[in-house]
């Protein structure tokens, strides 16, 4: 079971890593990385598109690196296994901020995954075997 969860975390991290490369589904002709230029909240607060994009990229990178690192920790590769839950928690929170700030209906699956990760880490007491 640990290997499956580790691979799932790594794949979830890779999805965050490539998310910036996907064009905005509402403006497909605008090209790549436009998904992160518009936020329902940040833009309404008057934050520029370039600052909004920077915030999104930082959150995506934190989530991607953190999920991949937590998966590697579960596999006992390069990272101490004791770090996996902290890495997964920080990554899920960063991911939730990212997905909520840049909301689109197809992101609901990512939110459900992040909530599932947080429930698993914080409330079930699951430990790798």
């Amino acid at each position: 079971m640990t290997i499956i969860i580790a691979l799932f975390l790594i794949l979830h991290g890779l999805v965050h890593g490539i998310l910036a490369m996907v064009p905005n589904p509402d403006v497909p002709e605008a090209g790549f990385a436009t998904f992160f230029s518009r936020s329902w909240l940040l833009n309404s607060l008057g934050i520029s598109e370039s600052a909004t994009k920077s915030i999104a990229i930082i959150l995506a990178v934190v989530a991607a690196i953190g999920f991949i690192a937590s998966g590697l920790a579960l596999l006992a590769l390069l990272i101490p296994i004791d770090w996996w839950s902290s890495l997964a928690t920080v990554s899920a929170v960063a991911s939730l901020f990212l997905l909520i700030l840049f909301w689109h209906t197809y992101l609901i699956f990512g939110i459900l995954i992040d909530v599932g990760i947080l429930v698993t880490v914080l409330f079930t007491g699951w430990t790798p075997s």
Side-chain angles (χ1 to χ4, degrees):
M1 184 64 144
T2 300
I3 292 173
I4 292 169
I5 292 172
L7 294 175
F8 184 81
L9 289 169
I10 291 168
L11 289 173
H12 192 51
L14 292 173
V15 167
H16 281 80
I18 62 171
L19 192 57
M21 302 302 291
V22 176
N24 185 330
D26 296 327
V27 191
E29 66 277 2
F32 292 106
T34 57
F35 178 77
F36 288 147
S37 61
R38 292 188 183 91
S39 165
W40 64 272
L41 178 62
L42 299 178
N43 295 131
S44 69
L45 294 174
I47 297 173
S48 70
E49 279 193 15
S50 64
T52 298
K53 193 172 186 177
S54 295
I55 291 167
I57 289 171
I58 289 167
L59 288 170
V61 167
V62 167
I65 291 172
F67 281 131
I68 292 168
S70 66
L72 291 174
L74 278 177
L75 296 172
L77 296 172
L78 306 173
I79 299 168
I81 196 165
D82 295 342
W83 293 13
W84 89 268
S85 60
S86 297
L87 288 165
T89 301
V90 169
S91 304
V93 169
S95 175
L96 281 172
F97 274 112
L98 176 72
L99 299 178
I100 290 169
L101 287 174
F102 297 88
W103 176 250
H104 191 280
T105 53
Y106 69 68
L107 298 177
I108 189 69
F109 296 110
I111 288 174
L112 293 173
I113 290 168
D114 291 334
V115 168
I117 291 168
L118 288 173
V119 167
T120 300
V121 172
L122 299 175
F123 300 110
T124 67
W126 181 83
T127 56
S129 53

